[in-house]
């Protein structure tokens, strides 16, 4: 409608349209202004209409490809909020069901503003916001909002940038959405850690899921297998799209075999655009979408230190951290662990901060690194790791999944987008402690399955620990088949 028009001509035209609808006494249920390049100023042109009684009955709002930008997104969010407020005062709250605003350059600020409106509405059944340049802050805000829309059935955020932070936040959100049928997170840089978090949410719920798109997300083969196993119970599933990830020929075949073993091979989409296995030293330093996260991580590092003992326990002075425990975590040794005596369990339970899964996994590896095949040492290690895992796994299912994911990153089984995380040298003690934990059934069967999948597909990592690896695999298989 506005192709070739001056920018100044657009708002008066939309204002005239809105005034006519308001004057006529219309009660709109659908408003579709998609594919009109009216930009941020155009949103101001429909602002009065969206706030008016003509839109109290609005059920579908379609503003796809309108070039709204950040400013337009914020104006739109404000208008929807005001409409809900006024309609509620009139006794008939706005019950918007379908919101479509793809290709609008909303970015983080626009998405965050709209998220506040979505949280207030609570009535959404479909949200389509692809290609909007939204990174993890905006994705996290949207995740927080959609949890308050329990009837959501379709969520399309294709071609935005999740990374690990956005993926884990979204995984936590969709866990609450039992009506969700279609998830499109294709081309969102979900990555392997994010895929595992999403798989955890799939195992817990989403019984009516029909479509899952995690294509072009830099997901490795083992993580894809975890996702595939997570949809096993979805009776309504019609399509699983994992195209364009990093499997390699053997990985693609392995994924097909897994789907076939579940009689779901026909539901797996094409893998023709697979990117191949990632190189061992792949470097993503040039990716612009991570610049902001790297800056934030650098700031955190300056304040707290990265991956250091200072970070793995809560503030020493505030919580009166035992100097012996502090000493052990700085420089672990079997002698120091034993010298803590019976109080080590209490110290770990009271003072180790497990709210951050990466910190908890680091403590686990520090404890298990001092393993010796001596009864006193083994007892001290297993009592300590048991105490840690009891605390780490006492909250949510997702927290224990995060622990498993962080542990696999530290062991080099899973590539992390955080380049500051250094892999540890895998020691037999790490695997024996994990085998003990699996035997004690700290890991639910589905999480044991995740760990077994990665252990089985990363033989090179464990070349120096073959006996411990085999013992761990045997115990994990028993847990998954129990």
């Amino acid at each position: 409608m506005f192709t070739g028009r001056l920018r100044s001509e657009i708002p008066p035209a939309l204002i005239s349209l809105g005034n006519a609808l308001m004057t006529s006494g219309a009660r709109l249920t659908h408003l579709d202004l998609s594919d009109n390049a009216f930009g941020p100023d155009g949103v101001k042109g429909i602002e009065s209409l969206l706030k008016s009684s003509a839109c109290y009955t609005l059920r579908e709002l379609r503003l796809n490809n309108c070039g709204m930008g950040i400013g337009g997104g914020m104006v739109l969010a404000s208008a929807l909020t005001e409409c809900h407020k006024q309609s509620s005062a009139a006794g008939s709250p706005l019950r918007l069901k379908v919101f479509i605003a793809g290709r609008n350059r909303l970015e983080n600020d626009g998405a965050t503003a709209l998220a506040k409106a979505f949280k207030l509405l609570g009535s959404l059944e479909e949200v389509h916001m692809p290609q909007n340049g939204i990174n993890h802050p905006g994705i996290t805000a949207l995740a927080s909002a959609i949890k308050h829309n329990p009837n959501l059935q379709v969520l399309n955020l294709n071609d935005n940038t999740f990374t690990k932070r956005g993926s884990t936040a979204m995984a936590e959100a969709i866990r609450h959405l039992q009506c969700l049928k279609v998830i499109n997170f294709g081309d969102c840089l979900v990555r392997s850690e994010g895929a595992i978090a999403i798989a955890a949410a799939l195992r817990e719920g989403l019984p009516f899921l029909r479509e899952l798109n995690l294509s072009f997300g830099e997901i490795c083969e083992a993580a894809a297998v975890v996702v595939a196993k997570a949809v096993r119970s979805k009776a309504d599933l019609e399509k699983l799209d994992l195209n364009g990830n990093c499997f390699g020929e053997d990985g693609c075949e392995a994924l097909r075999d897994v789907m076939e073993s579940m009689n779901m091979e026909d539901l797996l989409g094409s893998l023709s655009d697979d990117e191949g296995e990632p190189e061992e030293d792949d470097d993503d330093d040039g990716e612009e979408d991570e610049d902001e996260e790297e800056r934030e991580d650098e700031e955190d590092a300056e304040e707290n230190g990265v991956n250091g003992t200072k970070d793995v326990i809560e503030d020493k002075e505030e919580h009166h951290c035992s100097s012996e425990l502090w000493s052990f975590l700085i420089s672990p040794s079997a002698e120091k662990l034993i010298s803590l005596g019976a109080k080590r369990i209490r110290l770990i339970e009271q003072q180790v901060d497990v709210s951050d899964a990466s910190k908890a996994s680091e403590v686990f590896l520090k404890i298990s690194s001092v393993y010796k095949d001596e009864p006193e040492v083994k007892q001290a290690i297993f009592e300590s790791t048991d105490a840690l895992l009891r605390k780490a796994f006492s909250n949510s299912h997702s927290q224990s999944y995060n622990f498993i994911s962080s542990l696999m990153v530290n062991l080099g089984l899973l590539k992390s987008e955080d380049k500051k995380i250094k892999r540890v040298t895998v020691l037999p003690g790490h695997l024996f402690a994990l085998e003990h934990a699996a035997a004690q059934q700290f890991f639910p069967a589905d999480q044991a399955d995740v760990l077994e999948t990665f252990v089985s597909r990363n033989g090179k990592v464990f070349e120096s620990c073959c006996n411990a690896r085999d013992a761990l695999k045997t115990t994990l298989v028993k847990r998954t088949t129990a």
Side-chain angles (χ1 to χ4, degrees):
M1 190 186 300
F2 302 115
T3 302
R5 297 290 183 179
L6 296 175
R7 181 174 176 178
S8 60
E9 293 181 273
I10 298 173
L14 288 169
I15 289 171
S16 295
L17 175 63
N19 286 342
L21 289 167
M22 289 185 284
T23 303
S24 72
R27 292 294 181 266
L28 300 178
T29 57
H30 295 62
L31 179 59
D32 187 352
L33 295 172
S34 296
D35 302 310
N36 285 299
F38 52 60
D41 290 343
V43 183
K44 294 178 182 177
I46 61 172
E47 183 178 11
S48 295
L49 172 63
L50 290 173
K51 292 179 178 179
S52 74
S53 59
C55 288
Y56 290 180
T57 51
L58 199 61
R59 295 294 178 264
E60 297 190 12
L61 179 59
R62 299 171 183 263
L63 297 171
N64 201 58
N65 191 30
C66 291
M68 288 190 288
I70 296 172
M74 296 176 79
V75 171
L76 176 60
S78 177
L80 290 173
T81 300
E82 184 64 22
C83 183
H84 184 271
K85 177 182 177 181
Q86 297 293 342
S87 60
S88 298
S92 181
L94 173 65
R95 300 282 299 169
L96 189 67
K97 292 184 177 181
V98 177
F99 179 85
I100 300 176
R103 301 183 65 187
N104 272 295
R105 305 192 308 275
L106 294 169
E107 301 183 17
N108 291 330
D109 289 345
T112 300
L114 285 165
K116 293 178 181 177
F118 294 168
K119 183 176 180 179
L120 181 65
L121 290 172
S123 57
L124 291 167
E125 296 180 4
E126 294 187 26
V127 172
H128 302 260
M129 297 175 67
Q131 289 184 292
N132 270 296
I134 308 170
N135 298 326
H136 79 83
I139 295 298
T140 300
L142 289 170
S144 178
I146 64 172
K147 286 193 291 189
H148 297 272
N149 290 264
N151 294 319
L152 193 68
Q153 298 179 28
V154 179
L155 181 58
N156 176 8
L157 296 173
N158 188 283
D159 199 8
N160 290 291
T161 306
F162 282 32
T163 61
K164 178 187 174 182
R165 298 185 194 187
S167 299
T168 52
M170 195 57 70
E172 178 61 30
I174 64 176
R175 178 176 287 107
H176 300 274
L177 303 174
Q178 296 304 302
C179 296
L180 204 54
K181 296 179 180 179
V182 177
I183 299 174
N184 186 344
F185 297 159
D187 206 10
C188 283
L189 213 60
V190 167
R191 293 194 170 131
S192 299
E193 288 179 277
I196 291 171
I198 291 169
L202 296 176
R203 286 183 183 268
E204 284 191 57
L206 286 71
F208 305 112
L209 187 69
R210 289 205 312 250
E211 295 182 22
L212 175 62
N213 184 346
L214 296 178
S215 60
F216 299 93
E218 294 189 4
I219 299 170
C220 70
E221 176 237 331
V225 168
V226 171
V227 172
K229 291 180 177 179
V231 301
R232 182 200 304 265
S233 62
K234 311 305 175 190
D236 295 335
L237 191 72
E238 298 174 359
K239 184 176 182 180
L240 173 62
D241 189 348
L242 291 168
N243 198 17
N245 283 298
C246 307
F247 307 154
E249 290 185 14
D250 291 343
C252 289
E253 191 59 36
L255 181 60
R256 293 188 187 100
D257 289 344
V258 169
M259 294 295 286
E260 185 176 358
S261 71
M262 301 185 297
N263 295 319
M264 301 177 79
E265 64 271 23
D266 294 339
L267 308 184
L268 180 64
S270 169
L271 299 175
S272 60
D273 293 319
D274 184 72
E275 297 286 343
E277 291 185 71
E279 295 296 327
E280 195 66 31
D281 58 350
D282 266 356
D283 193 345
D284 300 321
D285 286 339
E287 293 196 34
E288 296 179 4
D289 51 81
E290 293 182 36
D291 287 348
E292 181 183 350
E293 290 192 51
E294 289 179 2
R295 284 195 295 273
E296 291 174 2
D297 291 339
E298 286 168 7
E299 292 171 2
D300 292 341
E302 291 173 3
E303 293 178 9
N304 302 318
V306 175
N307 226 30
T309 304
K310 181 179 179 182
D311 231 11
V312 300
I313 60 178
E314 298 166 356
D315 188 270
K316 180 182 178 184
E317 293 183 1
E318 180 181 348
H319 294 273
H320 312 291
C321 174
S322 159
S323 59
E324 296 100 321
L325 179 59
W326 184 263
S327 174
F328 170 78
L329 291 174
I330 291 174
S331 180
S333 71
E335 291 73 20
K336 288 180 181 178
L337 185 62
I338 291 172
S339 70
L340 289 173
K343 65 182 177 180
R344 60 177 164 260
I345 295 176
R346 175 177 55 81
L347 292 174
I348 290 171
E349 290 177 340
Q350 291 180 354
Q351 296 170 4
V352 175
D353 176 13
V354 298
S355 61
D356 185 326
S358 64
K359 298 174 185 178
S361 65
E362 184 182 346
V363 174
F364 181 92
L365 294 174
K366 284 177 179 287
I367 295 171
S368 57
S369 68
V370 304
Y371 180 91
K372 294 179 182 179
D373 193 14
E374 299 173 7
E376 187 178 17
V377 176
K378 289 197 291 186
Q379 181 180 353
I381 289 173
F382 293 156
E383 286 180 352
S384 300
T385 55
D386 285 356
L388 177 68
L389 294 179
R390 271 195 303 270
K391 185 177 180 182
F393 287 15
S394 63
N395 295 326
S396 67
H397 195 68
S398 60
Q399 184 173 337
S400 54
Y401 249 103
N402 291 338
F403 174 84
I404 294 290
S405 180
S406 295
L407 199 62
M408 292 192 299
V409 168
N410 289 132
L411 291 172
L413 303 178
L414 180 61
K415 182 179 177 180
S416 174
E417 65 190 36
D418 186 349
K419 301 175 182 64
K420 300 175 186 65
I421 294 179
K422 303 299 182 184
R423 296 180 181 178
V424 301
T425 299
V426 179
L427 302 173
H430 295 146
L431 306 187
F432 283 129
L434 272 175
E435 191 270 334
H436 170 79
Q440 302 302 308
Q441 300 189 9
F442 278 109
F443 308 134
D446 57 313
Q447 295 175 16
D449 189 30
V450 171
L451 192 54
E452 192 276 328
T453 298
F454 275 84
V455 169
S456 298
R457 285 167 167 75
N458 289 272
K460 291 182 180 179
V461 175
F462 303 117
E463 284 179 339
S464 62
C465 311
C466 293
N467 291 337
R469 177 202 61 195
D470 293 342
L472 174 59
K473 286 178 62 176
T474 299
T475 301
L476 290 172
V477 169
K478 288 180 181 177
R479 285 288 295 116
T480 59
T481 56

